Each structure stands twice: as C-alpha cells, then as structure tokens.
C-alpha cells in the first residue's frame, strides 16, 4: 500500500528522500512529522490535486502540521549568531581591557626606568677620592660642584686629533675650571681662570699618601692639577677660597665633542667672526649650530679674542649652559634614539668623585640650564690685576662672594 499522498507515485520521489537523508528508503512518518497518517484529505479549499497546502513561515517558524522542521539544528546550527542560532558572544569588557593595558604600560615603564638607572649608574667613572683632601673648610648651605675641562687626549685616535685640532701633547692639564653653586637663590656659575695666581698648600699625595708641607709657593691654578691631579686641585681651590667643594666633575676633549654630536649639535649666537689657527676655530658671526669639533674649537679659542682667557671663560660658560639646555629638552629626554647615545657619550667621558650620584649629576645639568635661562648668575672670579702673567684675585670681593655662597644668599658680587 502506498502511504504517500494521493497523486504521488514512486516516480515522483526522485533519488533523495528528504534533505540530509543517507538512507535509500523514505524517512518514516515518525521522523517526518509533516507527513499525515491515514487517508489523504479530500480535495477542497487550500489543496491542489490532493496535495496539502504548504505551511506559511513567519520569522523562520512554520505553522500548521510542521513542527519547526527547519530549526537550524538539522545542519549543526550557526556560530555566534543570534535568534536561536547558537550562544551569544559576550560584549567586550572595555574597562577590563583598559585596566590591564594601563598596568602593562606602567610595568614596562617602571622596569625600563630602573634598568636605565642601573645601566647609567654603572657607567659613571668614579675615580676621584675627595676623602684624600685634608684640612677642608666647613660645608655651607647648598651644593658646590667643581667642573673641570681637561686637555686630555686619552682615547683619541690620530684621525680624531687631526679632526679636533688637539695636537699630541702627553698628559693632561686643566683647560677650564668652574665652580657651580646650587641652592634656594638660583644657581651661580663662577669661572676660575687657569692663569689665576694661587698658593699651593700642605697636601697629601693622591697616590703616595705622603704629606707635602706647604711653602707658600705661588703658581698658576692649572699647575696644581698638573702636579697631583684632581685631589690637589680641589685642595688648592678650597684653601684659596674657603669654599667647600661637594662634588668633582671632569671631561676631556674627546668626550666633550662626543656629547655635542650625540645631541645633534648646539645652537649658539656667535658675537663676532672668530678665526684661530691654534684652536682650529673658523666661525662666522650670528646664530648657528655647532657640531662637536666646532664647539671644541669655540671653547678653546682665546688668542683671537680681545680679552684673551677672560673672554674665553665667558664663552665656555655660555656654551656649557646652552649644552645643558639642549640635553634637558624634550626632544632629547623623550627620544630614546637621542637620549641613550647622549647618556652613553656623556657618562663614558665624565670623571667624577666617588660620592657622585646620578641625581647629583642631574641637579648639576638642570642648574646649568637655569643659568642660561636667566634663573641664575654667571661670572668670572673678581680680579685685582696681574703679576708676572698670573691673574690676581680681589681678596675682599672673593671673601664677600664666598660668604654669600656659604650662606646660600643671593649673589651681589660682580666679576670681570
């Protein structure tokens, strides 16, 4: 007996018996609920040739005798869809994402900062032992740095010496000596001309440990450094001024030029045309950016200047303040491709005392920047004349200046 609706034959069934069926026989009425049992409905309204009217679908659901045949589950359902086609994907938790992104960034920044600190701290050349300095004056208010530019050619190749016009003199001498005072009344930068007439006091040898008694010997300031290095220079400055030196910083020719090149040059307003065959300076008047070799020639020039060494010390002050300002700019500090080469060049080149820390070094640079920004004072040591080529200090003015610095008062003394 044929169970299919009237007017249907086996020939009408085709080769398949329902979608997804793998059987060669028709699906049973138990599975195919839309198939009616018993006698077919007589022709009437809603039928055509004995075939029941097909159900209407609204929003994917059937009506009539079709119990939601096409639910989507027959085909395995959808992924991540709505309307009954699988589980809903939860909305992104943006607060959680922002929180963890912020935590990650802070952690990376913290680790990088700590690593940078220890890397930079390890590169400081702490070679000067101020504990070897004897009979020191009492410490005053604020902090005093003795900043020394030496003519050391150490580490320079023959090509470097030729490019920088340094010559090949052995050993090292002071090319510039400055005292930087930092305190509550702004920084004060004081140049001590290397030809200053000073007395070599009793001192203890930095290497031998032997005590050398003072004889009242009068020499140029740079002779103290040449005789027994940084420790004797500090001892001589303290003895002749009464000013306690807290930290010592020294840089040679090559290191100075490397720092300038690392920051991309330093802009200077050259007050006049300068041409000096000894230093190699060949500069035109006006604003320009000096590279390392040009900057070194500029701060070494004295024979082409009317005031000779006194004018040179003023140029050195201006340049060092401008260099500190360039190092402290956002374009250097916030740019790792410029910051790390600058730090590397500077830290490799500096010689400091054993108690010098990175925060002390940062304080020194920021104070020097303040001098160029008008927040401080720059001057030469007050002079009273010269004798035999040695420059004599004005003792009364020097005493007043030192008292103001020791008490961290506003400096009112003027220098040459």
């Amino acid at each position: 007996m044929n169970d299919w609706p009237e007017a249907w034959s086996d020939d009408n069934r085709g080769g398949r018996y329902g979608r997804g069926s793998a059987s060669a026989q028709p699906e049973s009425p138990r599975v195919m609920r839309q198939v009616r049992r018993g006698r077919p409905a007589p022709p009437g309204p809603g039928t055509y040739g004995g075939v029941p009217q097909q159900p209407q679908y609204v929003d994917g659901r059937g009506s009539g005798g079709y119990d939601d045949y096409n639910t989507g589950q027959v085909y395995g359902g959808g992924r991540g869809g709505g309307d009954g086609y699988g589980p809903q994907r939860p909305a992104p938790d943006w607060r959680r994402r922002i929180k963890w992104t912020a935590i990650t960034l802070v952690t990376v920044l913290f680790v990088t900062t700590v690593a940078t600190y220890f890397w930079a701290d390890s590169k400081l050349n702490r070679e000067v032992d101020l504990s070897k300095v004897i009979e020191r004056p009492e410490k005053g208010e604020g902090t005093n740095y003795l900043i020394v530019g030496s003519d050391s050619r150490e580490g320079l190749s023959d090509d470097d010496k030729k490019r920088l016009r340094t010559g090949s003199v052995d050993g090292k001498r002071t090319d510039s000596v400055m005292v930087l005072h930092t305190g509550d009344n702004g920084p004060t930068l004081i140049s001590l001309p290397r030809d200053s007439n000073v007395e070599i006091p009793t001192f203890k040898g930095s290497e031998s440990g032997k005590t050398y008694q003072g004889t009242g010997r009068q020499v140029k300031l740079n002779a103290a450094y040449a005789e027994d290095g940084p420790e004797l220079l500090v001892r001589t400055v303290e003895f002749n001024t009464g000013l306690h030196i807290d930290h010592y910083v020294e840089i040679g020719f090559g290191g100075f030029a490397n720092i300038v090149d690392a920051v991309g040059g330093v802009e200077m307003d050259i007050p006049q045309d300068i041409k000096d065959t000894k230093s190699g300076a060949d500069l035109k008047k006006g604003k320009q950016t000096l590279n390392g070799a040009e900057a070194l020639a500029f701060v070494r020039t004295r024979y082409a200047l009317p005031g000779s060494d006194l004018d040179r010390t003023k140029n050195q002050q201006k340049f060092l303040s401008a260099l500190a300002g360039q190092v402290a700019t956002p374009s250097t500090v916030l740019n790792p491709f410029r910051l790390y080469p600058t730090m590397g060049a500077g830290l490799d080149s500096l010689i400091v005392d054993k108690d010098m820390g990175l925060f002390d070094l940062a304080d020194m640079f920021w104070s020097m920047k303040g001098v160029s920004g008008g927040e401080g004072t720059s001057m030469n040591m007050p002079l009273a004349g010269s004798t035999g080529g040695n420059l004599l200090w004005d003792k009364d003015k020097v005493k007043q200046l030192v008292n103001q610095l020791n008490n961290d008062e506003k400096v009112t003394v003027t220098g040459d």
Side-chain angles (χ1 to χ4, degrees), residues 122-328:
S122 68
K123 292 180 75 65
L124 276 177
N125 300 311
R126 297 183 173 94
E127 300 178 7
V128 180
D129 188 357
L130 296 183
S131 67
K132 296 179 179 179
V133 180
I134 62 174
E135 300 178 13
R136 308 191 67 185
E138 291 185 7
K139 177 175 171 56
E141 300 293 328
T143 304
N144 298 314
Y145 299 88
L146 187 64
I147 303 172
V148 177
S150 78
D151 64 359
S152 172
R153 280 80 170 172
E154 185 177 352
L156 296 180
S157 65
D158 291 338
D159 289 340
D160 291 334
K161 294 176 182 177
K162 183 177 180 180
R163 177 176 60 88
L164 300 176
R165 304 290 293 272
T166 64
S168 299
V169 180
D170 293 331
K172 59 181 181 179
R173 289 143 295 276
T174 55
D175 203 57
S176 62
V177 180
M178 300 181 189
V179 171
L180 174 67
H181 173 84
T182 65
D184 294 335
N185 284 289
T188 302
L189 184 61
I190 308 165
S191 286
L192 283 58
R194 66 179 187 174
D195 292 340
S196 297
N197 189 82
V198 295
E199 178 183 339
I200 297 294
T202 299
F203 70 96
K204 181 184 291 187
S206 59
E207 297 295 333
S208 66
K210 180 180 177 181
T211 298
Y212 296 88
Q213 293 296 326
T215 61
R217 180 164 48 108
Q218 304 289 309
V219 298
K220 292 182 178 180
L221 180 60
N222 62 352
Y225 180 93
E227 187 171 330
D228 198 51
E231 287 84 358
L232 179 55
L233 178 62
V234 171
R235 168 71 173 132
T236 302
V237 170
E238 289 187 340
F239 176 82
N240 285 269
T241 64
L243 192 66
H244 181 94
I245 299 300
D246 298 289
H247 293 294
Y248 177 92
V249 181
E250 177 187 327
I251 188 169
F253 282 167
F256 178 84
N258 288 340
I259 293 176
V260 175
D261 286 333
V263 298
V266 176
E267 184 179 74
M268 288 292 296
D269 190 357
I270 308 298
Q272 65 184 67
D273 291 348
I274 299 177
K275 190 173 181 63
D276 187 352
T277 56
K278 291 185 178 294
S279 69
D282 187 6
L283 305 171
K284 299 298 181 182
K285 179 180 179 180
K287 285 188 177 182
Q288 54 201 283
T289 299
L290 306 182
N291 62 27
E294 294 168 336
L296 182 60
F298 175 68
V299 298
R300 292 181 61 205
T301 295
R302 64 172 174 167
Y303 295 104
L305 303 175
S308 187
D309 199 45
L310 294 180
D311 282 349
R312 182 176 72 156
T313 57
K314 294 176 182 177
N315 285 341
Q316 290 171 345
Q317 291 176 348
K318 292 177 183 177
F319 187 86
L320 289 178
S321 296
L323 174 60
Q326 179 69 28
V327 170

Side-chain angles (χ1 to χ4, degrees), residues 49-119:
V51 179
Q53 183 178 0
Q54 298 299 310
Q56 301 296 319
Y57 291 86
V58 180
D59 295 332
R61 301 181 62 87
S63 61
Y66 296 81
D67 296 328
D68 298 333
Y69 176 72
N70 227 355
T71 63
Q73 296 180 354
V74 174
Y75 308 102
R79 293 186 59 187
D83 299 330
Y85 285 90
Q88 293 281 345
R89 177 177 294 175
D93 189 344
W94 289 109
R95 288 186 178 180
R96 180 182 176 86
R97 291 187 179 184
I98 293 173
K99 172 185 174 181
W100 283 106
T101 299
I103 292 175
T104 301
L105 291 176
V106 170
T107 302
V108 170
L109 180 61
F110 175 77
V111 171
T112 301
T113 301
V114 172
T116 299
Y117 176 86
F118 283 104
W119 167 78

Side-chain angles (χ1 to χ4, degrees), residues 248-408:
Y248 177 92
V249 181
E250 177 187 327
I251 188 169
F253 282 167
F256 178 84
N258 288 340
I259 293 176
V260 175
D261 286 333
V263 298
V266 176
E267 184 179 74
M268 288 292 296
D269 190 357
I270 308 298
Q272 65 184 67
D273 291 348
I274 299 177
K275 190 173 181 63
D276 187 352
T277 56
K278 291 185 178 294
S279 69
D282 187 6
L283 305 171
K284 299 298 181 182
K285 179 180 179 180
K287 285 188 177 182
Q288 54 201 283
T289 299
L290 306 182
N291 62 27
E294 294 168 336
L296 182 60
F298 175 68
V299 298
R300 292 181 61 205
T301 295
R302 64 172 174 167
Y303 295 104
L305 303 175
S308 187
D309 199 45
L310 294 180
D311 282 349
R312 182 176 72 156
T313 57
K314 294 176 182 177
N315 285 341
Q316 290 171 345
Q317 291 176 348
K318 292 177 183 177
F319 187 86
L320 289 178
S321 296
L323 174 60
Q326 179 69 28
V327 170
T329 57
S331 62
T332 299
V333 175
L334 300 179
N335 183 354
F337 297 103
R338 179 170 289 179
L339 175 62
Y340 284 97
T342 301
M343 292 178 64
L347 297 173
D348 280 339
S349 307
L350 295 178
I351 296 175
V352 300
D353 65 272
K354 293 184 180 296
D355 294 326
M356 187 78 163
L358 290 179
F359 290 108
D360 299 313
L361 197 61
D363 174 63
M364 185 190 78
F365 269 95
W366 279 104
S367 298
M368 291 182 68
K369 179 186 177 184
V371 171
S372 65
E375 301 171 6
T377 304
S378 61
M379 58 185 290
N380 280 323
M381 185 65 83
L383 300 176
S386 64
T387 177
N390 292 9
L391 299 175
L392 301 174
W393 294 350
D394 187 322
K395 293 184 179 180
D396 290 336
K397 284 189 174 181
V398 170
K399 183 178 180 179
Q400 183 183 357
L401 172 63
V402 171
N403 284 336
Q404 290 177 343
L405 295 178
N406 280 334
N407 294 322
D408 198 22

